Amino acid sequence: MFSSKNMKLLTNPLGDSNPITVQVLGICSALAVTAKLKPAFVMAISVLVVMTLSNVIISLLRKTIPNRIRIIVQLVVIATLVILVDEVLRAFVYDVSKQLSVFVGLIITNCIIMGRLEAFALANKPWDSFLDGLGNAFGYGWILIVVAFFRELLGSGTVWGYPVLDKIGLYDIGYENNGLMILSPMALIVVGIIIWIQRSRNKDLIESN
Amino acid sequence: MNRSNLYTFMYASVMVIIVAALLSLAATGLKPLQDKNEEIAKKLDILNTVGLGMEVGEADSKNVYVEAEFDKFITESFVVNAKGERVDGIDAFTINLTKENAKEVDKRTLPVYVCTHENGAQNYIFPVLGKGLWGPIWGYVALNDDFVSIAGVVFDHKGETPGLGAEINTPPFQDQFIDKKIFDSSGKFVSIQVNKIGIPVTESSVDAITGGTITSKSLEEMLYDCLSVYESFINKQK
Amino acid sequence: MENLINIFVKGAFIENMILAYFLGMCSYLAVSKTVKTSMGLGFAVIFVLLITIPVNFLIENYILQEGALSWISPKLAEVDLGFLSFILFIAVIASIVQLTEMIIEKISPTLYNALGIFLPLIAVNCAILGGALFMQERAYNNIGEAISFAMGSGFGWLLAVVGLAAIREKIRYSNVPPALRGLGITFIIVGLMGIAFMSFMGIKL
């Protein structure tokens, strides 16, 4: 069940084939929600749920899906799961769902999910697809959470709403929050820096100019 | 795999039926919880207008806290019509302002909330709703029991990315409204003007948002439209 | 009229789809290598937005919203189909893209050659669905405002993609640190473009 091949499915997307930093997929719906850790975390969980479930469902149905309407079937499965997630969020974490607003809906067009369904789930067994979905969702989620962590810490001086910098007395010696970090373009620059670090460590990933 | 048209068609139909059933089930099942959340948010807005319910962050359970505060301070809520007469049989809380605003003025039903403070002072709270440039804006206006001066306001709009959008929901802007008068000295209804910075502030006007002319103007219109319909009611109370 | 221009300006510059919300990033990064292809995709996005947003606007206002069905029968005034909006919007987008592709192929082979390869890409472009969802969230009053919003956001998208492509064409001759080449530097450039566009935020309408 956890053969070395399966473990690769789970661990590869965390590093060398990370959906965001290497495959450049699914940036659209995600980065605008990374100004604070909490919405980023909820977003990561939502993507995780939609991704693994849709991978498993499509993989179970893979022998029955007529080829001609395959894209529509995938979209319907994803959209249904996203609506369910949205309804649950609105029922149980109302504040966060208000902050995420349209971005939950945009999970539907998250290219990672469509990409994994097309490239993996349509041709593999449910358990493998489950692991693949889980791995890619984690690969996506950790980038989101790292970006949100730095933006919240440097931009608002808090971590998960807790005023860390205030407690250690940084403001008393003249430190100021960097308001620029809250603005959305900084999310891209932080991802750019993550890519820089990752590629400096793994020379194989370097592109030609 | 290529299959016959019939198979494809059947497949699509079955899929649509399953999905529709699943979604309707979830939507109806979770509706009570979602409505509850919206109700709590609304009650909290009403409380905030008169400076209550501020300790919501420290409460163990937000819902319990808001409900308790609301029941304690909002002692009465009722519905009036544009002539200022009470209308019986309608719960003020269930009124949908979007629908009311679409009606003719004399057919509208207008909710009023009465807040009684611990020292016995009373505030009358009126909901307002209007169009901003970027979608709806809404809020609540509370009057003191002289029915002339404002005790407090809350405004909001749908938020997207922080930093973008109008700043009508910030305390510096909203605090300007406190003690402003919606009637002039002769008792004529004047609402509150939202003027460009630089124009001298009177007892019935406030400064606009920096550089936000259009949003400020739509806010002014909203206040005029939504408060003027209460004029007869207010005059009867004085 | 003034209102329509305001909505256009706001959609194109102040709340640019890409630079403020990152919508449509995947295809944005993929096609922004040369100015010519980016122009093609940019026009395709405007084209599709201009069709899908008004259609979705009608669906939202006459089918989905609470009470929207009352034009069929007053008994249906209480029905709220809002929970179906995601699935209906994406279905409309996918089918309209498919339909447009077929129509363009029949009517104008030249236009098809220019836009054709981009159309399938667009069905899953977040900017299109994002446009529909923003339209729903912002509750425009009439179809004119929705069209103006579609024009504005589409134009903003075109502007951003052509701008980035122009920069990337030039940056090929620069000496970028090896690990930053390609994707890394592109992300940082888009970030800087976003900051530059933020100066439009000073225009508060």
Side-chain angles (χ1 to χ4, degrees), chain B residues 134-135 160-161 163 211 214-215, chain C residues 6 15 21 138 140 204-205:
Chain B
W134 223 211
E160 278 134 21
T161 312
I214 291 174
T215 310
Chain C
N6 281 330
E15 304 203 335
Y21 296 116
R138 288 168 188 164
Y140 288 112
K204 281 199 185 118
L205 293 167

Side-chain angles (χ1 to χ4, degrees), chain A residues 36-38 148-154 156-166:
Chain A
K36 290 268 160 64
L37 257 177
K38 204 171 169 192
F149 174 78
F150 282 109
R151 284 182 71 193
E152 187 177 343
L153 184 70
L154 300 175
S156 320
T158 55
V159 172
W160 200 270
Y162 182 79
V164 185
L165 297 185
D166 193 28

Side-chain angles (χ1 to χ4, degrees), chain B residues 20 22 24 44-45 58 61 80 94 125 162:
Chain B
L22 201 66
S24 328
L44 189 61
D45 270 349
E58 287 139 43
S61 158
V80 297
T94 55
I125 305 167

Side-chain angles (χ1 to χ4, degrees), chain A:
Chain A
M1 222 168 199
F2 282 103
S3 61
S4 64
K5 183 178 130 272
N6 280 350
M7 282 313 282
K8 272 222 171 68
L9 286 177
L10 207 53
T11 54
N12 263 352
L14 296 182
D16 292 347
S17 63
N18 187 286
I20 291 188
T21 61
V22 183
Q23 303 172 38
V24 220
L25 292 174
I27 314 151
C28 331
S29 59
L31 292 182
V33 301
T34 52
K36 290 268 160 64
L37 257 177
K38 204 171 169 192
F41 186 74
V42 174
M43 184 76 182
I45 300 279
S46 312
V47 169
L48 181 92
V49 171
V50 175
M51 181 108 144
T52 41
L53 286 180
S54 62
N55 249 3
V56 170
I57 292 173
I58 291 292
S59 171
L60 283 171
L61 295 176
R62 69 187 188 280
K63 295 205 174 106
T64 66
I65 298 175
N67 196 31
R68 242 185 306 161
I69 56 166
R70 137 184 133 252
I71 301 277
I72 301 281
V73 173
Q74 290 169 7
L75 275 176
V76 169
V77 169
I78 298 172
T80 311
L81 289 168
V82 170
I83 295 175
L84 290 178
V85 167
D86 183 49
E87 294 279 332
V88 170
L89 287 182
R90 272 199 292 153
F92 295 103
V93 277
Y94 184 66
D95 294 339
V96 180
S97 92
K98 263 210 311 203
Q99 281 173 33
L100 290 176
S101 69
V102 302
F103 292 99
V104 175
L106 288 173
I107 298 177
I108 297 173
T109 47
N110 190 320
C111 337
I112 305 179
I113 300 181
M114 277 297 266
R116 290 329 290 170
L117 292 184
E118 274 285 290
F120 198 90
L122 270 178
N124 286 282
K125 289 199 198 89
W127 175 246
D128 294 354
S129 306
F130 175 76
L131 291 177
D132 180 76
L134 212 59
N136 276 286
F138 278 128
Y140 170 86
W142 82 257
I143 301 272
L144 221 61
I145 285 170
V146 167
V147 173
F149 174 78
F150 282 109
R151 284 182 71 193
E152 187 177 343
L153 184 70
L154 300 175
S156 320
T158 55
V159 172
W160 200 270
Y162 182 79
V164 185
L165 297 185
D166 193 28
K167 294 285 174 206
I168 58 172
L170 218 54
Y171 294 113
D172 301 335
I173 54 171
Y175 176 82
E176 289 275 348
N177 284 332
N178 183 354
L180 195 61
M181 291 301 288
I182 300 184
L183 300 179
S184 37
M186 285 311 289
L188 285 166
I189 295 185
V190 174
V191 176
I193 293 169
I194 294 175
I195 294 177
W196 192 1
I197 296 169
Q198 192 185 25
R199 294 190 182 182
S200 309
R201 293 177 50 189
N202 186 346
K203 301 282 182 215
D204 297 339
L205 294 174
I206 292 176
E207 295 172 57
S208 63
N209 214 349

